[in-house]
């Protein structure tokens, strides 16, 4: 068996949906390598079992329970919790080399050649190309490196509060030293940013190997119609409609049937690492019957989705949440409200 692995991370059942689709996308692309996922206590037992079906390794990471130096360090700096969670990938020393992928990435074509690269190889971040984006990176598991990055984090923190700032400070020579450590952009195409350069997106889209849904819009937050099995992309993602649909096709073909209502249907409280993402989707999606007429479950799912989107700041101004529709709803509510005593008296005096 290969000694290389693709590694991702999930802290709740919603991000786990991403991890499941990602794993199937890797398999569809015919990877020869193993799959590993780091999970935190926020991931339900039934979701872990589903992850086990596609991942060779499902590794629980819970720094706060461990009795090592990283734990002690973390207790002193709880704000670094999220960052530390990703760093655990360096502890997967059973593998010789790994590629970390955010669970909001989708592999479109085989990229096993990435394992020929050295640590730390990554693609530029679109907002500051002298920094690499930490959604896709090649690394070499090592307890020594893990300890060094942890120590570095405690000393210097992270300039953006997340793993990307920390890793860019630690691997500070990335921008200038070795061009082989610069992955081509096609290995980490930010779905949203490509909107800023549509001609390039059109020209090179067939070359994209890994798509990254970085930012607030995640494919699982897109409205999905279970009857027609179609996802409706927000207007600023119109160029990527078919890629968002691809995410949902993989979801329908490979993931949906594995979901159960034992997965979280309500938001889990934030786990030790401060992730506080509403994790209600997996349970709600498990209730949908694909290809069948609209059901009350579809209505319930859509209501949940819209609430999550509002909370995540994704407001569908052009569609259901347009001013017109909101105004209609307000008017309906006002009209259906029984009149108060004063209003009734007003009516009487007005008519007399
Ligand atoms: N993540 C997670 N739970 C969260 C937030 C993040 O498991 O609540 C993991 C997941 O693997 C995710 C990665 O951390 O892909 C980085 O977060 P995200 O992709 O949301 O950041 P972005 O790429 O949008 O900057
Ligand atoms: Mn991401």
């Amino acid at each position: 068996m290969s000694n290389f692995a693709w590694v991702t991370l999930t802290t709740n059942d919603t991000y786990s949906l991403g991890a499941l689709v990602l794993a199937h996308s890797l398999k569809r692309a015919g990877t020869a390598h193993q799959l590993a996922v780091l999970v935190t206590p926020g991931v339900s037992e039934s979701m872990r079992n589903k992850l086990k079906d596609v991942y060779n390794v499902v590794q629980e990471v819970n720094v706060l329970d461990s009795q090592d130096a990283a734990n002690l360090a973390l207790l002193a700096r709880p704000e670094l919790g999220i960052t530390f969670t990703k760093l655990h990938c360096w502890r997967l020393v059973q593998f010789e080399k790994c590629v970390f992928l955010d669970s909001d990435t989708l592999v479109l074509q085989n990229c096993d050649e990435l394992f020929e690269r050295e640590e730390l190889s990554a693609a530029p971040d679109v907002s500051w190309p002298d920094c690499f984006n930490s959604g896709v990176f090649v690394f070499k598991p090592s307890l020594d490196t893990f300890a060094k990055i942890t120590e570095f984090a405690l000393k210097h923190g992270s300039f953006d509060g997340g793993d990307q700032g920390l890793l860019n400070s630690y691997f500070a020579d990335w921008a200038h030293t070795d061009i082989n450590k610069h992955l081509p952009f096609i290995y980490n195409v930010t779905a949203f940013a490509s909107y800023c350069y549509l001609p390039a997106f059109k020209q090179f889209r067939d070359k994209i190997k890994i798509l990254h849904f970085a930012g607030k819009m995640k494919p699982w937050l897109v409205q999905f119609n279970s009857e027609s099995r179609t996802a409706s992309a927000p207007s600023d993602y119109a160029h990527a409609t078919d890629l968002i649909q691809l995410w949902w096709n993989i979801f329908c073909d490979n993931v949906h049937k594995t979901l159960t209502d034992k997965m979280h249907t309500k938001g889990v409280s934030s786990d030790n690492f401060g992730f506080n993402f509403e994790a209600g989707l997996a349970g709600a999606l498990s209730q949908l019957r694909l290809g069948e007429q609209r059901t009350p479950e579809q209505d319930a799912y859509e209501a949940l989705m819209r609430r999550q989107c509002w909370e995540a700041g994704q407001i569908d101004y052009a569609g259901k949440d347009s001013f017109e529709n909101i105004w209609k709803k307000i008017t309906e509510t006002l009209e259906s409200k029984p009149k108060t005593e004063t209003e009734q008296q007003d009516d009487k005096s007005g008519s007399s």
Side-chain angles (χ1 to χ4, degrees), residues 7-12 14-16 19 22 37-40 43 82 85-86 100-105 125 133-135 163-164 188 190 212-218 220 271 274-278:
V7 179
T8 190
L9 157 72
T10 169
T11 64
N12 58 45
T14 300
Y15 269 88
S16 299
L22 170 63
V37 57
L38 307 173
V39 299
T40 66
V43 178
I82 296 175
T85 315
K86 215 187 229 187
F100 183 91
L101 297 172
D102 266 8
S103 62
D104 60 347
T105 57
D125 186 82
N133 181 283
S134 63
D163 57 283
Q164 182 158 311
N188 187 354
T190 319
H212 184 186
F213 294 98
K216 281 185 177 165
M217 201 293 296
K218 304 298 182 198
W220 52 84
D271 63 27
F275 287 133
N276 194 10
F277 198 87
E278 180 89 22

Side-chain angles (χ1 to χ4, degrees), residues 217-224 231-234 244 248 301 305 309:
M217 201 293 296
K218 304 298 182 198
W220 52 84
L221 288 178
V222 161
Q223 284 288 350
F224 172 67
S232 34
I244 293 173
W248 280 96
Y301 152 77
M305 277 288 307
C309 290

Side-chain angles (χ1 to χ4, degrees), residues 164-181:
Q164 182 158 311
L166 169 62
L167 291 174
N168 271 279
S169 301
Y170 185 80
F171 295 100
D173 65 350
W174 176 86
H176 307 284
T177 313
D178 183 357
I179 192 68
N180 288 317
K181 293 186 178 173

